[in-house]
């Protein structure tokens, strides 16, 4: 008889649903502020993006300087700060202003995101969602990065040209110089603290991004890095090879190397028929001929004297014999020690 008092199965499901629905809604509403997925952006990618942007600006500046290569020398140097600001403004205008990443940021698969808007959003799927920078953030970014750097560069050059730091200057100029130095020191200290915080949290590379709450996040969750290390490896190998050559070349004697490679030369007729009247160093007819002793091969006096002074153990470029003295061509004696 107790079974007759139980509700039908369908009514039991509906009753349970209505009973648990308020609890589920309260749990979902309370957990919505915590639904933001914590993400970690590679710090190396962010630093590489900044470095690539600097290299891109340097390349553009190099091409711009070539345009003004025919102008009056030194004139472009006076407007170097304006040129740098103009190039930075162009990069900002065609990247950040139109909701696109800068060239370096794009190569690292990154983009700017307004971190203030992300904190007010609800659930997210990957943690990379979020709107881009607002118009106000873009304008302030341009003012701080382009205008701020230009004003600071001009102020430093003007104060250095006027010699505000000299003790003989007026007290007002001296105070302005001290104020500039203090502002620079405070900015460097703040940048260093921001660097430590960035290395710990992975957010905001510089003070401008931290002030604007503009965070770099991945543009696509599938691709993390769009740059291979092939070019970097070639560049490192070439730099090490060039440094090794710069270290070894001053230690080598060109004449000794030439004489060492002469037996391996295929063209032996030219060496046998070589003109002994020409100076083996400058390959010209000696105006003041001197003989190298004891082999008595003819040289220009200045060529032979310079080589003997530079290399104490100088050997003749023709026969590889050590040169111990010099004698004027045509003279019977009176040899000159080297």
């Amino acid at each position: 008889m107790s079974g007759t008092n139980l509700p039908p199965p369908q009514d039991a499901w509906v009753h349970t649903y209505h009973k648990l629905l308020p609890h589920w809604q309260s749990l979902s509403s309370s957990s919505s502020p915590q639904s933001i997925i914590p993400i970690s952006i590679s710090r190396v990618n962010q630093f590489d993006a900044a470095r690539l942007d600097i290299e891109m600006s340097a390349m553009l500046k190099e091409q711009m300087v070539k345009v003004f290569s025919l102008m009056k020398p030194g004139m472009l140097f006076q407007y170097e700060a304006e040129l740098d600001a103009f190039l930075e403004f162009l990069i900002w205008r065609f990247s950040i202003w139109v909701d696109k990443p800068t060239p370096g940021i794009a190569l690292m698969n990154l983009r700017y995101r307004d971190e203030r808007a992300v904190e007010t959003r609800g659930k997210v799927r990957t943690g990379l969602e979020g709107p881009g920078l607002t118009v106000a953030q873009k304008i302030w970014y341009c003012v701080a990065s382009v205008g701020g750097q230009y004003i600071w560069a001009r102020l430093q050059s003007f104060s250095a040209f006027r010699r505000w730091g000299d003790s003989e200057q007026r007290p007002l100029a001296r105070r302005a110089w001290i104020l500039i130095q203090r502002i620079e020191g405070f900015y460097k200290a703040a940048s260093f603290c921001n660097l430590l915080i960035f290395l710990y949290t992975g957010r905001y590379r510089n003070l401008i991004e931290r002030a604007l709450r503009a965070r770099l996040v991945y543009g696509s969750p599938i691709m993390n890095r769009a740059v291979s290390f092939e070019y970097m490896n070639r560049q490192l190998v070439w730099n090490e090879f060039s440094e090794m050559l710069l270290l070894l070349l001053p230690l080598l004697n060109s004449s000794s190397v030439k004489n060492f490679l002469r037996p391996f030369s295929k063209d032996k007729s030219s060496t046998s028929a070589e003109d002994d009247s020409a100076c083996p160093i400058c390959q010209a007819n000696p105006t003041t001929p001197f003989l190298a002793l004891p082999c008595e091969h003819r040289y220009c006096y200045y060529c032979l004297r310079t080589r003997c002074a530079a290399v104490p153990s100088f050997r003749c470029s023709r026969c590889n014999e050590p040169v111990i003295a010099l004698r004027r061509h045509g003279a019977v004696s009176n040899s000159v020690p080297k």
Side-chain angles (χ1 to χ4, degrees):
M1 289 189 300
S2 60
T4 58
N5 296 328
L6 295 176
Q10 184 176 3
D11 296 339
W13 281 105
V14 173
H15 177 71
T16 305
Y17 170 76
H18 287 290
K19 182 179 180 180
L20 297 177
L21 181 60
H23 299 282
W24 174 258
Q25 291 178 349
S26 62
L27 290 175
S28 61
S29 61
S30 62
S31 62
S32 60
Q34 307 295 331
S35 61
I36 298 177
I37 301 176
I39 57 175
S40 178
I41 309 300
S42 174
R43 297 161 180 80
V44 177
N45 283 24
Q46 299 183 57
F47 276 129
D48 287 349
R51 187 61 188 174
L52 288 172
D53 285 335
I54 294 175
E55 295 293 338
M56 180 64 67
S57 179
M59 292 174 59
L60 293 176
K61 183 179 179 180
E62 182 180 0
Q63 299 299 324
M64 188 70 70
V65 169
K66 290 181 179 179
V67 175
F68 298 97
S69 60
L70 300 179
M71 298 181 64
K72 182 180 178 181
M75 189 182 69
L76 189 62
F77 177 76
Q78 301 176 359
Y79 304 98
E80 186 176 3
E82 285 77 8
L83 179 61
D84 293 338
F86 176 70
L87 294 177
E88 293 294 335
F89 176 78
L90 286 182
I91 295 177
W92 170 85
R93 172 60 182 83
F94 294 101
S95 59
I96 296 178
W97 178 251
V98 293
D99 293 326
K100 292 182 179 180
T102 61
I105 295 177
L107 288 174
M108 292 293 105
N109 186 32
L110 299 173
R111 69 177 182 90
Y112 275 119
R113 184 179 72 178
D114 186 5
E115 201 69 7
R116 299 174 302 176
V118 174
E119 295 177 355
T120 60
R121 292 172 63 92
K123 297 182 179 180
V124 293
R125 296 178 57 187
T126 63
L128 301 177
E129 294 86 356
L133 302 182
T134 62
V135 177
Q137 286 177 314
K138 297 174 184 177
I139 295 176
W140 280 113
Y141 186 92
C142 177
V143 171
S145 62
V146 181
Q149 292 182 5
Y150 169 71
I151 294 175
W152 184 253
R154 272 303 177 192
L155 183 61
Q156 282 188 328
S157 62
F158 182 78
S159 60
F161 179 75
R162 295 290 183 177
R163 297 181 179 179
W164 287 359
D166 294 346
S167 59
E168 300 177 357
Q169 292 292 333
R170 295 174 299 177
L172 182 61
R174 182 66 180 174
R175 291 177 183 176
W177 175 260
I178 295 175
L179 179 61
I180 292 174
Q181 296 299 316
R182 290 181 178 178
I183 293 176
E184 184 178 5
F186 177 77
Y187 178 78
K188 289 182 179 180
S191 299
F192 179 72
C193 295
N194 181 79
L195 175 63
L196 296 180
I197 298 174
F198 170 76
L199 294 177
Y200 181 75
T201 61
R203 298 185 178 186
Y204 312 120
R205 300 172 301 176
N206 49 50
L207 296 176
I208 298 176
E209 295 179 357
R210 186 170 296 277
L212 298 177
R213 302 296 300 275
R215 186 185 179 187
L216 286 175
V217 296
Y218 291 124
S220 173
I222 302 175
M223 180 178 58
N224 289 335
R225 194 180 182 100
V227 174
S228 64
F229 291 97
E230 182 180 358
Y231 172 76
M232 191 180 300
N233 292 335
R234 291 201 306 266
Q235 190 70 16
L236 290 175
V237 171
W238 174 249
N239 287 340
E240 294 297 330
F241 181 70
S242 60
E243 290 180 0
M244 183 185 66
L245 289 180
L246 291 177
L247 178 64
L248 295 179
L249 285 178
L251 304 178
L252 298 177
N253 190 351
S254 60
S255 60
S256 61
V257 174
K258 182 179 179 181
N259 293 327
F260 175 77
L261 298 177
R262 183 174 297 174
F264 303 97
S265 177
K266 295 181 179 180
D267 188 10
K268 297 184 179 180
S269 60
S270 61
T271 58
S272 60
E274 188 176 5
D275 188 9
D276 293 336
S277 62
C279 175
I281 297 178
C282 64
Q283 302 298 327
N285 192 17
T287 55
T288 309
F290 262 70
L291 300 179
L293 300 179
C295 61
E296 296 188 355
H297 286 123
R298 192 163 67 164
Y299 288 82
C300 293
Y301 170 74
Y302 296 104
C303 295
L304 185 58
R305 193 66 176 175
T306 304
R307 289 298 179 90
C308 291
V311 183
S313 59
F314 175 69
R315 294 176 175 269
C316 178
S317 301
R318 297 193 185 278
C319 60
N320 203 26
E321 288 290 332
V323 178
I324 61 175
L326 289 70
R327 189 180 69 190
R328 187 179 183 89
H329 180 69
V332 179
S333 60
N334 298 330
S335 61
V336 181
K338 70 171 186 175

